[in-house]
Amino acid sequence: MATDRGIVEDWLSEFKALSETQLSGYGGVLDQKNTLVPALYSVIQDPDSELLEPVCHQLFELYRSSEDCLRRFTLQFLPELLWVYLRRDGHSSGCIEALLLGIYNLEIVDKDGNSKLLSFLIPSLSKPSIYHEPSSLGSMALTEGALCQHDLIRVIYSGLHPQRETFTAQNRFEVLCFLMLCYNSLVVYMPRSSHRAVCRMSSRLCVSGFPRQQLKAWTAPCMRVLLEPQFMVQMLAAVYHAIYNGEWDAGREALDDILYRAQLELFSEPLLLGNAMKSSLPGSAPDGSQGRKVLQVEVTPSIRRISRCTITAASIRRLRWKREGEVNASHTLAPADLTNTGPLLPSNSWMSKGPAQSSIRSCIVQRT
């Protein structure tokens, strides 16, 4: 603890001496401090630490800067901050509450101070991509005009959040869900220590105060923490990324604990998503699971491969004629076989040229 305290104090004094021009390259300096991140975790986890308030203040100063690397440096501690705040139920953690509210109020507005909408556009099927070619759709009901209308579809998944000055029972998880959404949007940039922290946070929040806590290695007395389904969905998104990026065991444990809590609370959305995640996981850790491993997506075959397998009305007619020609060439019909010729001949073609048709005409002439 004395060593961690000295590291954190040096960091606090170092940041105060920085000028505006030196702040732009400070992110690279932080990446080289291998002992700083563990020291900051120890300060955040200590409820009686005198350095907690100046650390939270400095983390907010880093987050309000215009440098993305400094903002990500602060955001990596978000899971641990959430765990400490919810575990204490807001008591004796005013500096953490102020930091969380400050990050939230910065994220809900753009650079001009206007309310920000988080949305995405549905890709247009009329334009080619690595997954499809417009010509592969054939003569379907999706015309070019209908496809172009997809450009106008915008899906908004978060936006127009009001500013908050304090936490209440009504807005607490609204703010926390949005913060987890911001964390998940940058989860690919987070170090393994942050992935480990989000798994630890998810497990502890879900089993604290329940019988399953007795089976854990940590036995610190904790009260039950109130959770909401949307917040658990955001936890599942972070845990799923951690599972495939070096935290296979911790991620699987967190997934089981989230499902355990969702079953007790009868939360349908976490249950649906969690069970789908669990069913899609392989039986054992994939190759390279100890390192960073991005989820692999199979690319759709190219247009040439799709066009050969496309079923159209013309291809059905060609297949039918091909089969009829093979049958006519392999069988010579006798007069006794007249009753079986119906399905083998195409309509309006029984008088056409061919060995089978000649035998039929000769039989008809003899009978007349």
Side-chain angles (χ1 to χ4, degrees), residues 136-149:
S136 66
L137 299 176
S139 57
M140 301 173 63
L142 295 175
T143 61
E144 184 178 357
L147 293 175
C148 292
Q149 294 179 0

Side-chain angles (χ1 to χ4, degrees), residues 34-303:
N34 299 327
T35 58
L36 177 59
V37 172
L40 289 176
Y41 272 112
S42 63
V43 171
I44 295 173
Q45 295 166 0
D46 186 6
D48 301 324
S49 177
E50 299 176 355
L51 297 175
L52 182 58
E53 184 174 352
V55 164
C56 291
H57 176 73
Q58 185 151 319
L59 289 176
F60 178 71
E61 292 296 329
L62 292 177
Y63 197 84
R64 66 188 298 185
S65 65
S66 58
E67 300 295 329
D68 293 336
C69 57
L70 298 181
R71 297 165 67 91
R72 292 196 295 263
F73 180 83
T74 298
L75 207 60
Q76 69 175 316
F77 299 102
L78 180 65
E80 197 67 28
L81 292 169
L82 293 177
W83 156 245
V84 173
Y85 172 76
L86 292 175
R87 180 188 63 179
R88 302 178 190 176
D89 195 19
H91 300 295
S92 67
S93 58
C95 55
I96 295 181
E97 178 178 342
L99 175 59
L100 297 177
L101 286 172
I103 296 175
Y104 167 81
N105 290 324
L106 287 175
E107 284 291 341
I108 62 174
V109 296
D110 55 16
K111 294 183 296 184
D112 300 327
N114 301 321
S115 297
K116 185 167 54 176
L117 287 175
L118 301 181
S119 61
F120 63 92
L121 285 173
I122 296 180
S124 173
L125 297 178
S126 62
K127 297 179 176 59
S129 68
I130 63 173
Y131 300 104
H132 83 292
E133 290 285 346
S135 58
S136 66
L137 299 176
S139 57
M140 301 173 63
L142 295 175
T143 61
E144 184 178 357
L147 293 175
C148 292
Q149 294 179 0
H150 286 272
D151 288 332
L152 305 177
I153 300 179
R154 178 182 293 273
V155 178
I156 299 174
Y157 61 92
S158 181
L160 296 180
H161 295 275
Q163 291 188 353
R164 304 295 184 182
E165 296 181 358
T166 183
F167 277 120
T168 63
Q170 289 76 22
N171 65 23
R172 176 180 301 170
F173 278 99
E174 177 186 349
V175 175
L176 299 185
C177 287
F178 183 79
L179 292 177
M180 280 299 299
L181 179 64
C182 297
Y183 177 86
N184 289 330
S185 65
L186 299 173
V187 70
V188 295
Y189 300 104
M190 298 302 161
R192 287 191 59 178
S193 59
S194 185
H195 295 162
R196 194 177 303 111
V198 78
C199 295
R200 182 171 60 246
M201 175 202 71
S202 302
S203 294
R204 293 184 176 184
L205 286 179
C206 291
V207 304
S208 293
F210 290 91
R212 192 164 189 166
Q213 183 185 357
Q214 305 301 324
L215 304 177
K216 301 297 181 179
W218 53 279
T219 57
C222 297
M223 300 295 293
R224 293 185 181 181
V225 180
L226 177 66
L227 295 178
E228 291 192 359
Q230 290 299 326
F231 184 76
M232 297 177 69
V233 168
Q234 295 298 330
M235 288 196 303
L236 284 171
V239 167
Y240 193 54
H241 181 85
I243 288 176
Y244 282 93
N245 286 270
E247 298 299 330
W248 174 262
D249 296 330
R252 287 292 301 270
E253 181 182 359
L255 176 59
D256 293 338
D257 292 337
I258 295 175
L259 284 173
Y260 169 79
R261 181 65 179 271
Q263 291 172 356
L264 294 177
E265 302 284 357
L266 296 179
F267 289 153
S268 59
E269 294 182 4
L271 278 174
L272 179 63
L273 180 59
N275 286 320
M277 289 168 50
K278 191 172 184 180
S279 300
S280 66
L281 293 177
S284 59
D287 296 336
S289 61
Q290 298 304 321
R292 301 186 66 86
K293 181 178 178 65
V294 180
L295 297 179
Q296 297 180 356
V297 179
E298 183 179 357
V299 179
T300 306
S302 61
I303 176 60

Side-chain angles (χ1 to χ4, degrees), residues 330-345 356 359-360 363 367:
S330 59
H331 294 278
T332 302
L333 299 179
D337 298 326
L338 287 175
T339 56
N340 299 328
T341 59
L344 302 179
L345 296 177
S359 60
I360 294 175
C363 291
R367 289 186 179 182

Side-chain angles (χ1 to χ4, degrees), residues 311-323:
I311 299 177
T312 61
S315 64
I316 294 175
R317 288 195 297 269
R318 288 195 299 268
L319 180 61
R320 178 184 176 186
W321 292 339
K322 181 179 179 181
R323 289 180 177 177

